[in-house]
Amino acid sequence: RQTRSYLKGVTAKERSSPRCSEICEKLLCHVYRRGNKPRSTWLGVGWNNMRKIPGYGVYNLGKSVKTGTSQEFEVVRKKLELVRNLLETMSNLVARLKQSSILHLLLAITFFVSGLIINIIQCLLYFGVRPFSRYLFRKINYYLSYSMYSQVVFLAEWWSNSNVVVYSDKEEFDKYCGKEHGYLLMNHRYEIDWLMGWFFCERMSLLGNCKTYAKKSIQYVPILGWAWKFGECIFLERSWEKDKEIIGRQIRELVDYPDSMWLLLMAEGTRFTHEKHEASKIFAREKGLPQLNHHLVPRTKGFTSSIPYLRGKPAAVYDIQIAFKKYKDGVPKKQLVQQMIKNFRSDKEPTVMRMLLGLPVEAHLYVERIPLEQIPEEEEACARWLHELYQKKDRMQDSFFKTDDFFAESGVKRVDGFNLKRRPVSLLNTVIWGFVILVPMSCYLIGLFTCGSWFYFSAGVSILSVFFLLLSKMIGMTKISEASSYGKTSAALTSESKSSSVTKKID
């Protein structure tokens, strides 16, 4: 702007003088120089009469600047401003659509209806194909499971445009990760840590073969629960004698998978909350275990009983540590997005609702491969090894909270972060299911609403209400406030015992 203002005040003859060129050079270099790194920029003044300044990488006016160059610049500037305004308008429109309840309803209809269709196909294959050929059943079920899970990943990967930054030894990562069975140990602090874990699996082309531990009641929940059941996830009854047998039997079956399989264990057993953390610290003091600041005390029995069945197989343990940077006000530049951030500013942690509104998050994922040979075979030593691992994970989490870096204060060897290539498969899968489900569903609902009968109109409203309720229920299940009651009972018992001891002292 200073250069243009200066040029407007001089004549055509003065513009061609060395003095004019010198002044413009100083103005442009003062604004655009960035250390010793050259930066090539078109300033829009005298397109055909510019020359590069050596060492600066910016363009300066030549000695033969034509009269009327500033007018030409104004025309170009107005065109660029028009394009910029158009792009901002489109961006605001997309952001406004993403927070529309109608689009949320359409996504819910697509997911729940397609999920039921997939469950029916899985059920037929489970009883019709699996007894004769587990290999064929697992091959087909991989694609069915992927088709369902990837619709959830679509929410993070494409709808909210979120990302995962992976920190790992790149050479070892490329050599082993995704090419062997993996036993993943992951912290469980956030509402969406499981979703970003799926995100990571999608980037590694392993989403359809993700398995997990879950309580037995979940297998009776339609869609995801049934998909996990047919996908051979490990369901536990919270009775150690029964669970030990279940773990042994199912892991023996899982390691025979024809393709690489990842089994996820959140050894803390439940999501981190302050109440659960207090109960966990009390337990650690009573048992003489190390107290953790950002994790619950890990439950070792599931881990120590699983590892023996992986030995001798092409498998390894993967330490997964996930963290998110805190949201900062004013980062988004669009006014609408700023307002959306303002509405959810009190919620500092990443949530499913944020993603549903189209707000991106960035997960930072530390991945370390641990060969099974490094894990002790004796049960007590194996449990002690797991506690030591969680002390390391706690130091890394503490370092990240203080410095936004896993390695700055944790004492863990630094590895470079990198991004994994985004695949379009989850987007195509969701679009195809949307077309298959929403077109006939829309025609059916339009027929109900326009037939002139109050009965059919009420039926259409009821159908939409059911999908809204299912969506709300699904989001509610991911909230930390809706997590298990572990810790609340312990806290209540502790406070009760303290009050009773005080009463005895008074007596």
Side-chain angles (χ1 to χ4, degrees), residues 314-333:
V317 172
Y318 286 85
D319 175 25
I320 308 290
Q321 189 68 18
I322 187 170
F324 297 85
K325 291 184 179 180
K326 294 289 185 181
Y327 294 102
K328 297 179 180 179
D329 298 342
V331 173
K333 296 182 179 180

Side-chain angles (χ1 to χ4, degrees), residues 433-493:
W433 272 118
F435 180 80
V436 171
I437 300 297
L438 294 179
V439 171
M441 179 68 75
S442 299
C443 295
Y444 177 71
L445 291 175
I446 291 172
L448 291 179
F449 289 134
T450 58
C451 67
S453 170
W454 279 105
F455 175 78
Y456 291 115
F457 183 85
S458 301
V461 173
S462 300
I463 292 172
L464 295 179
S465 301
V466 167
F467 283 113
F468 261 123
L469 289 174
L470 289 173
L471 178 61
S472 301
K473 182 66 175 177
M474 185 175 179
I475 294 174
M477 289 174 63
T478 67
K479 292 183 178 179
I480 292 178
S481 59
E482 299 297 325
S484 70
S485 59
Y486 169 81
K488 297 180 182 178
T489 306
S490 301
L493 291 173

Side-chain angles (χ1 to χ4, degrees), residues 157 163 199 202-204 418-424:
E157 189 172 24
N163 189 34
F199 192 126
E202 155 61 20
R203 295 284 174 95
M204 297 302 300
F418 54 91
N419 292 310
L420 298 173
K421 185 178 179 181
R422 180 160 68 170
R423 307 190 314 151

Side-chain angles (χ1 to χ4, degrees), residues 21-87:
S21 179
E22 181 182 354
I23 292 174
C24 290
E25 176 176 334
K26 288 181 178 180
L27 285 170
L28 301 182
C29 292
H30 175 71
V31 175
Y32 284 95
R33 186 176 180 181
R34 295 290 184 272
N36 295 322
K37 296 180 180 180
R39 176 180 175 183
S40 298
T41 306
W42 175 50
L43 300 176
V45 185
W47 177 268
N48 296 319
N49 300 289
M50 289 183 176
R51 61 180 175 83
K52 261 192 172 182
I53 304 173
Y56 291 98
V58 299
Y59 288 94
N60 183 28
L61 291 171
K63 294 184 179 180
S64 58
V65 180
K66 294 181 179 179
T67 306
T69 300
S70 58
Q71 287 82 358
E72 294 175 4
F73 173 76
E74 284 296 326
V75 173
V76 175
R77 185 186 64 79
K78 288 179 179 179
K79 290 181 179 180
L80 292 175
E81 187 174 353
L82 179 63
V83 173
R84 182 174 62 84
N85 291 337
L86 179 61
L87 292 175

Side-chain angles (χ1 to χ4, degrees), residues 12 71 122 265:
Q71 287 82 358
Q122 286 178 314
L265 172 67

Side-chain angles (χ1 to χ4, degrees), residues 260-395:
S260 298
M261 173 276 305
W262 278 2
L263 178 60
L264 172 64
L265 172 67
M266 293 176 172
E268 296 165 86
T270 184
R271 191 183 288 122
F272 182 97
T273 66
H274 292 295
E275 289 179 336
K276 297 172 186 177
H277 185 222
E278 290 300 320
S280 176
K281 289 197 294 185
I282 294 171
F283 176 80
R285 284 197 298 267
E286 292 176 350
K287 300 295 182 181
L289 299 173
Q291 296 185 37
L292 306 175
N293 296 321
H294 307 289
H295 298 78
L296 306 179
V297 175
R299 303 179 183 185
T300 60
K301 286 187 177 180
F303 177 76
T304 57
S305 61
S306 300
I307 293 298
Y309 299 101
L310 297 173
R311 297 188 187 276
K313 304 290 183 180
V317 172
Y318 286 85
D319 175 25
I320 308 290
Q321 189 68 18
I322 187 170
F324 297 85
K325 291 184 179 180
K326 294 289 185 181
Y327 294 102
K328 297 179 180 179
D329 298 342
V331 173
K333 296 182 179 180
K334 304 296 181 292
Q335 184 177 1
L336 176 64
V337 178
Q338 284 181 340
Q339 184 62 36
M340 292 160 65
I341 285 285
K342 184 178 179 181
N343 294 339
F344 286 87
R345 193 168 292 158
S346 60
D347 186 9
K348 293 298 182 182
E349 301 294 345
T351 62
V352 173
M353 194 62 197
R354 279 183 175 273
M355 290 186 168
L356 195 59
L357 290 173
L359 298 176
V361 301
E362 185 176 76
H364 294 259
L365 213 67
Y366 172 77
V367 181
E368 181 187 8
R369 181 182 183 270
I370 305 172
L372 291 171
E373 293 76 19
Q374 296 182 11
I375 302 174
E377 295 187 13
E378 197 270 327
E379 184 175 350
E380 186 176 343
C382 185
R384 189 164 52 251
W385 180 90
L386 183 63
H387 284 296
E388 292 173 356
L389 177 66
Y390 265 79
Q391 292 178 63
K392 170 190 165 185
K393 291 167 76 71
D394 206 58
R395 293 196 306 270

